[in-house]
Amino acid sequence: MSEVKIAPIPDLGQRTDEITIYAGPCSVESAEQFDEVAACVKALGLSWIRGGAFKPRTNPHSFQGLGEEALRIMKDAGDKYGLKTLTEVMDSAHCQLVADYVDGLQVGARNFQNFSLLKKIGQVTAESQQMVLYKRGFAGTIAEWLAATDYITDCGNGNVVLCERGIRTFETATRFTLDIAAVPVIHKQSLYPVCIDVSHPAGQRDLVPSLAYAAVAAGADSLMIEVHPNPPVAKSDGPQQLTPAQFEKLVGELRDLAAVFGKKIV
Ligand code: PEP
Ligand code: MN
């Protein structure tokens, strides 16, 4: 009988033993609200806090974000707690402003193919090499995503994290369908770290833990999780945001799960 040859496992790209959590409220609503989440994130030994300053709302009459005031609130909390800050930049005209206040710049799903924004972000961060978290659009393929990433990197910043946040399918039971396979596919095809945003595909907070376990098990390099001190009064995405207590429990579980893979949560 001839010997069965097993194909070698391909190089799955850049991996570290750390899984970063980008936690924080959907929208920065006040200094008190953001401080409360920052205190929680810090107490859990995490390193990043997220929050929306400019919000890409489907309806123009919905809360649009506090803009520069939110950036100031984020910077103050980041300095106070020694946390890195991440926020979305929606408009090319705001890139420098946002880069001046925060550590990481997020490209939202709705700007997936806003190529002039991608270029501008790349230019503005070329010197600083600030992290750019580039979210997948809800109708974008992985090939389109990887191709468009070059708009950022060609301008001189390769510090890009690709964030899967769910795509549109025929399924309506969840807000978006989380494409968990994006993690190994991108690891195979590139060196970029992959983040899984577990809040926006879930749409409901009780689904968030399961998606987070799946993200860690799939090999995600980072997770995005929305946390609000009082979700029922949140100005955006209330139903999917975790309370600080729920978040603390989840982080404990994720630490145990990450340890199975020889990784730690930061
Ligand atoms: C967000 O992270 O707050 C957000 C608006 O996400 P997305 O662009 O994925 O909808
Ligand atoms: Mn949100």
Side-chain angles (χ1 to χ4, degrees), residues 21-252:
I21 296 189
Y22 305 108
C26 180
S27 295
V28 178
E29 298 171 6
S30 68
E32 295 71 30
Q33 172 241 20
F34 197 71
D35 188 275
E36 195 171 334
V37 182
C40 161
V41 165
K42 183 66 183 179
L44 293 174
L46 303 174
S47 47
W48 282 82
I49 182 156
R50 63 144 278 152
F54 298 94
K55 294 303 300 177
R57 305 307 300 280
T58 302
N59 185 329
H61 309 297
S62 302
F63 178 65
Q64 300 288 307
L66 296 179
E68 190 169 357
E69 188 190 341
L71 298 176
R72 271 194 293 273
I73 291 170
M74 294 189 80
K75 175 146 182 42
D76 288 349
D79 290 346
K80 177 174 170 187
Y81 293 103
L83 294 170
K84 286 186 241 173
T85 50
L86 171 66
T87 200
E88 175 169 352
V89 53
M90 279 175 58
D91 190 318
S92 296
H94 294 150
C95 290
Q96 190 61 60
L97 176 79
V98 170
D100 287 344
Y101 278 103
V102 297
D103 298 287
L105 287 77
Q106 175 173 320
V107 180
R110 290 156 191 82
N111 273 312
F112 177 66
Q113 289 185 317
N114 183 342
F115 302 125
S116 53
L117 176 67
L118 298 178
K119 278 194 272 189
K120 186 71 182 177
I121 288 177
Q123 287 159 0
V124 163
T125 59
E127 209 183 302
S128 63
Q129 298 287 297
Q130 280 158 282
M131 188 265 282
V132 179
L133 185 131
Y134 177 27
K135 285 196 171 193
R136 181 181 189 177
F138 25 80
T141 66
I142 291 174
E144 289 166 339
W145 193 9
L146 286 171
T149 302
D150 287 2
Y151 279 107
I152 305 168
T153 58
D154 284 357
C155 291
N157 185 5
N159 187 12
V160 176
V161 173
L162 299 178
C163 180
E164 159 65 34
R165 45 80 70 213
I167 53 176
R168 277 257 155 83
T169 67
F170 53 81
E171 183 56 73
T172 55
T174 49
R175 191 175 176 194
F176 296 96
T177 299
L178 180 62
D179 181 9
I180 199 75
V183 179
V185 170
I186 293 169
H187 277 164
K188 242 164 95 167
Q189 296 186 11
S190 82
L191 295 175
Y192 296 113
V194 184
C195 177
I196 295 283
D197 171 350
V198 293
S199 297
H200 290 91
Q204 309 150 53
R205 73 180 58 77
D206 59 330
L207 300 181
V208 165
S210 299
L211 300 191
Y213 309 146
V216 169
D221 302 280
S222 49
L223 271 64
M224 177 173 284
I225 306 175
E226 288 189 336
V227 182
H228 192 287
N230 187 4
V233 302
K235 290 192 191 301
S236 58
D237 286 351
Q240 72 196 24
Q241 300 200 65
L242 301 185
T243 64
Q246 289 166 336
F247 180 60
E248 182 177 351
K249 178 170 182 284
L250 177 59
V251 170

Side-chain angles (χ1 to χ4, degrees), residues 8-20:
I9 296 169
D11 178 5
L12 293 181
Q14 181 177 322
R15 298 275 186 84
T16 72
D17 64 356
E18 290 185 344
I19 300 172
T20 305

